[in-house]
Amino acid sequence: MGNQKKGLDVNEKKTLLISCIIAVVMIAFVVLMVVESTSKGKLTITNETDKEITSVKMYFANYDEEYESDALFDDALAANTDASITLEKYALKGMEAGLIIEVTFDGEEKRTFDVGYFNNDFEGKIKVSFYEEADGSVSMKVKATTGLFGSTSQTYCNNDVYELHLGEEIE
């Protein structure tokens, strides 16, 4: 009776380990692709102030004023509340569009902001929050993300902050 091999030799173990690692990476890649393709766009608007917002209207428009989307959101928002809706896919490829936000606080004039730069189809998440600074002024923060990991590289809209200058006359 000669020596019988027991188990795998070193080269077989290395090959098996590399094959397992490749299989795990491929499975993870497929799972990430499925998760990203099933994730829906979402708009979240938060009013963290003690002031009522009588109107918030949001839509996409390009800079040549040839395109204007239907309103993503057009409603009031009470003090210290939020609203969240599902967004559809917006065909903005080649549009050079901005996200237009028109906001009116109770007793104030309407303020209009053109935020971000959308030149690709958009199916992502938009977060808008209104909050009071330490000095009592009100600011708006806007972030628009795409993809599974929340990239802002296609929206140029990464937690940008805008002062609303409430109580001041608009010229």
Side-chain angles (χ1 to χ4, degrees), residues 146-164:
T146 59
L148 184 61
F149 299 110
S151 172
T152 59
S153 66
Q154 294 184 9
T155 65
Y156 301 97
C157 193
N158 186 11
N159 280 329
D160 298 331
V161 176
Y162 302 87
E163 294 179 22
L164 274 64

Side-chain angles (χ1 to χ4, degrees), residues 1-6:
M1 306 212 163
N3 286 341
Q4 290 186 348
K5 267 186 157 177
K6 291 185 180 177

Side-chain angles (χ1 to χ4, degrees), residues 135-147:
D135 64 2
S137 64
V138 176
S139 294
M140 173 180 71
K141 186 184 290 187
V142 183
K143 184 173 186 177
T145 61
T146 59

Side-chain angles (χ1 to χ4, degrees), residues 8 16 75 127 130 166:
L8 303 172
L16 182 60
D75 207 349
K127 292 182 181 179
F130 299 94
L166 299 181

Side-chain angles (χ1 to χ4, degrees), residues 28-151:
F29 184 70
V30 168
V31 168
L32 287 175
M33 286 178 42
V34 168
V35 168
E36 184 173 5
S37 69
T38 59
S39 67
K40 300 290 182 194
K42 183 177 181 180
L43 169 64
T44 304
I45 304 172
T46 306
N47 181 4
E48 299 172 359
T49 72
D50 294 333
K51 300 165 179 40
E52 179 184 353
I53 301 175
T54 56
S55 174
V56 178
K57 182 178 181 181
M58 300 174 61
Y59 55 93
F60 291 108
N62 75 346
Y63 298 107
D64 296 331
E65 299 181 17
E66 297 171 3
Y67 171 78
E68 184 174 306
S69 71
D70 291 336
L72 283 65
F73 186 84
D74 191 1
D75 207 349
L77 198 59
N80 296 304
T81 61
D82 60 15
S84 184
I85 61 168
T86 301
L87 292 178
E88 60 187 65
K89 181 177 182 176
Y90 289 87
L92 301 173
K93 188 157 185 82
M95 292 282 195
E96 298 181 346
L99 174 62
I100 309 301
I101 302 174
E102 299 174 353
V103 59
T104 308
F105 277 82
D106 188 33
E108 297 284 339
E109 295 180 57
K110 176 174 71 174
R111 276 134 172 98
T112 303
F113 299 89
D114 182 350
V115 303
Y117 177 77
F118 298 80
N119 202 34
N120 289 304
D121 292 344
F122 180 77
E123 187 173 20
K125 294 176 175 56
I126 300 173
K127 292 182 181 179
V128 179
S129 59
F130 299 94
Y131 60 95
E132 292 185 46
E133 301 282 358
D135 64 2
S137 64
V138 176
S139 294
M140 173 180 71
K141 186 184 290 187
V142 183
K143 184 173 186 177
T145 61
T146 59
L148 184 61
F149 299 110
S151 172

